Amino acid sequence: MKTFIKLAVSSLVLSQSIAISTASENPRQALPSVVVEKASPAASRAVRRYVGSVEAINSVNIMPRITGELRKVNFTEGSLVKAGQLLYELEDTTYQAAVQALEAQLEAQKATLEFATTEYARKYKLLKSNVVSTAAHEQALMEINVAKANIKRLEASLTDARNTLSYTKIVSPINGRIGKSIASVGNLITPQSGAMADIQQLAPIYVKFSISEKVLRRDFGGVNNIAAVARVKAMLADGKIASETARITLVDNKINAKSNTITMWATFPNTKFELLPGSFVTVLLTAEDNRSKTPSVLPSAVVMENDSCFVWVLDNKNNIPSRRKVKIGDTVAGRLLILDGVKNGETVVVDGTHKIRPNTPVVPVDAKKVFTAGK
């Protein structure tokens, strides 16, 4: 029995010695295999969705500024109008008469000035001959100055009268679509009548929405950079996406303390009038920055630990993995954006991270080969 035990122990020791010898002769067979890929830029950026509202950049209520009977309406309700287009005509007889009366007074006063100037010149000659008194000469000079002052007063009154007369013809101040006319021909219009119609500018047009401060700073580089980086699309109520792409043209000057969001406005050319003021749309917001391409990896490469994330990056010379803390972003087309910690072109372990031992080389297997073989 003792002989048998000795033989068994000797056999075990011999087999272990052979295994150790074999491992030392073929060290790579003992190294763990891991699947790797190179970090590369994502093909596109994440699309964020927000609820947005369409607003006219300019919206005008057509208000009467004088009293008068409405004589004519020169537009079709709901049609497009241009800046300067004549919309309404009010009865102008009284205002035209006021202008003509002032014009007549102005002509009379100019005649008075002409006479006073001639009289002054005559008395000036007589003054040198001591035929008239100095007081008479000064009186003539005063009459010239009074006539000039009256002319200025009348010219000011005439300007005001002509301006008032112009209010009898109401024109559109902007390009846009005019709504329903509240007034109709024959109505007495007064400044207290309220708006006669409203005009909404359609092209260009605003889409208003809000995003979180975190997204603003992390994905778009803050207020000063978002205009250059952000691209905006609008999904309409029927699910169709408007044909045009917009940029952020206005960012609010403060953060909403209750929601920690900031409001901004994107300007759409809206040449096809796809967007209408007052409607709600789904804002599709992306970030595009050609100056830098954010690295991305397969999500399986990222290991979560407590509140942080890390990946294993291979040393290309010795295939020794090193742990690298990373800051992750959105998932785009099945790939996870790495905002900090990894550069494009670095080799990252995407499968087999549980096999990694400190300071121990691994056998890298290209992820493309693995995934191709699996198809």
Side-chain angles (χ1 to χ4, degrees):
M1 182 68 178
K2 292 182 179 179
T3 303
F4 175 77
I5 294 174
K6 289 181 179 180
L7 288 174
V9 171
S10 299
S11 176
L12 178 61
V13 171
L14 178 61
S15 63
Q16 290 178 345
S17 299
I18 293 172
I20 293 172
S21 176
T22 303
S24 62
E25 291 176 1
N26 303 286
R28 291 191 63 82
Q29 293 181 2
L31 298 179
S33 297
V34 296
V35 181
V36 300
E37 70 165 7
K38 292 187 180 296
S40 60
S44 60
R45 299 302 300 267
V47 178
R48 294 187 173 275
R49 294 172 176 249
Y50 301 94
V51 175
S53 59
V54 183
E55 295 182 353
I57 294 178
N58 290 311
S59 177
V60 178
N61 287 328
I62 304 301
M63 303 291 294
R65 303 180 68 174
I66 59 171
T67 298
E69 180 186 340
L70 180 58
R71 290 289 180 86
K72 194 173 183 180
V73 178
N74 296 301
F75 65 89
T76 302
E77 295 174 321
S79 64
L80 295 174
V81 296
K82 295 183 178 180
Q85 179 178 331
L86 181 61
L87 303 177
Y88 295 101
E89 294 182 53
L90 303 182
E91 190 272 326
D92 63 355
T93 305
T94 301
Y95 305 102
Q96 185 68 48
V99 170
Q100 292 174 351
L102 287 169
E103 288 175 341
Q105 292 179 39
L106 181 60
E107 289 178 6
Q109 195 60 48
K110 287 180 178 179
T112 300
L113 175 61
E114 184 177 355
F115 175 78
T117 303
T118 302
E119 186 69 9
Y120 171 78
R122 186 177 66 82
K123 289 183 178 180
Y124 182 73
K125 291 180 181 180
L126 294 175
L127 177 65
K128 288 185 176 182
S129 302
N130 294 322
V131 176
V132 297
S133 64
T134 302
H137 172 264
E138 292 177 349
Q139 176 71 25
L141 180 60
M142 182 196 70
E143 289 176 356
I144 290 177
N145 292 333
V146 170
K148 288 180 177 179
N150 286 333
I151 288 174
K152 288 183 178 180
R153 175 179 58 80
L154 289 170
E155 287 176 340
S157 297
L158 181 58
T159 298
D160 183 60
R162 285 172 175 167
N163 190 47
T164 302
L165 175 62
S166 70
Y167 295 154
T168 62
K169 289 181 172 54
I170 302 174
V171 300
S172 173
I174 62 172
N175 295 330
R177 190 183 299 278
I178 194 165
K180 180 175 175 53
S181 177
I182 304 303
S184 56
V185 173
N187 289 156
L188 179 64
I189 305 299
T190 71
Q192 291 73 39
S193 299
M196 302 173 71
D198 74 294
I199 301 174
Q200 301 286 327
Q201 179 179 319
L202 298 183
I205 202 166
Y206 277 146
V207 170
K208 173 186 174 183
F209 62 100
S210 298
I211 68 173
S212 71
E213 182 183 9
K214 180 180 179 181
V215 171
L216 172 68
R217 299 185 183 281
R218 185 190 66 188
D219 294 353
F220 300 99
V223 172
N224 295 331
N225 200 43
I226 191 168
V229 173
R231 301 292 182 271
V232 181
K233 284 277 193 180
M235 181 184 292
L236 307 177
D238 59 359
K240 294 181 180 179
I241 297 177
S243 58
E244 297 168 327
T245 300
R247 291 179 177 268
I248 304 297
T249 54
L250 174 61
V251 181
D252 205 355
N253 59 358
K254 57 185 176 300
I255 299 289
N256 187 318
K258 294 181 180 179
S259 60
N260 196 34
T261 60
I262 187 167
T263 302
M264 55 193 62
W265 290 260
T267 300
F268 284 80
N270 203 30
T271 54
K272 298 179 180 178
F273 306 131
E274 296 173 290
L275 303 174
L276 296 176
S279 62
F280 288 94
V281 296
T282 299
V283 173
L284 308 176
L285 180 66
T286 59
E288 294 180 1
D289 189 355
N290 295 325
R291 295 172 296 177
S292 62
K293 296 295 185 179
T294 306
S296 66
V297 297
L298 291 174
S300 59
V302 178
V303 180
M304 306 289 294
E305 186 177 72
N306 297 326
D307 294 330
S308 61
C309 302
F310 69 89
V311 298
W312 291 99
V313 181
L314 287 193
D315 174 4
N316 291 330
K317 293 183 178 180
N318 302 311
N319 290 330
I320 298 177
S322 61
R323 177 169 160 157
R324 190 86 62 81
K325 187 176 180 179
V326 295
K327 181 180 179 182
I328 62 175
D330 296 313
T331 300
V332 179
R335 299 184 63 81
L336 189 63
L337 299 181
I338 305 297
L339 304 179
D340 188 38
V342 172
K343 296 180 181 178
N344 286 320
E346 290 190 298
T347 303
V348 179
V349 178
V350 298
D351 190 31
T353 55
H354 62 284
K355 303 178 184 179
I356 296 175
R357 298 188 298 272
N359 302 318
T360 301
V362 296
V363 178
V365 180
D366 191 350
K368 293 181 180 179
K369 295 181 180 179
V370 174
F371 298 147
T372 302
K375 291 182 179 180

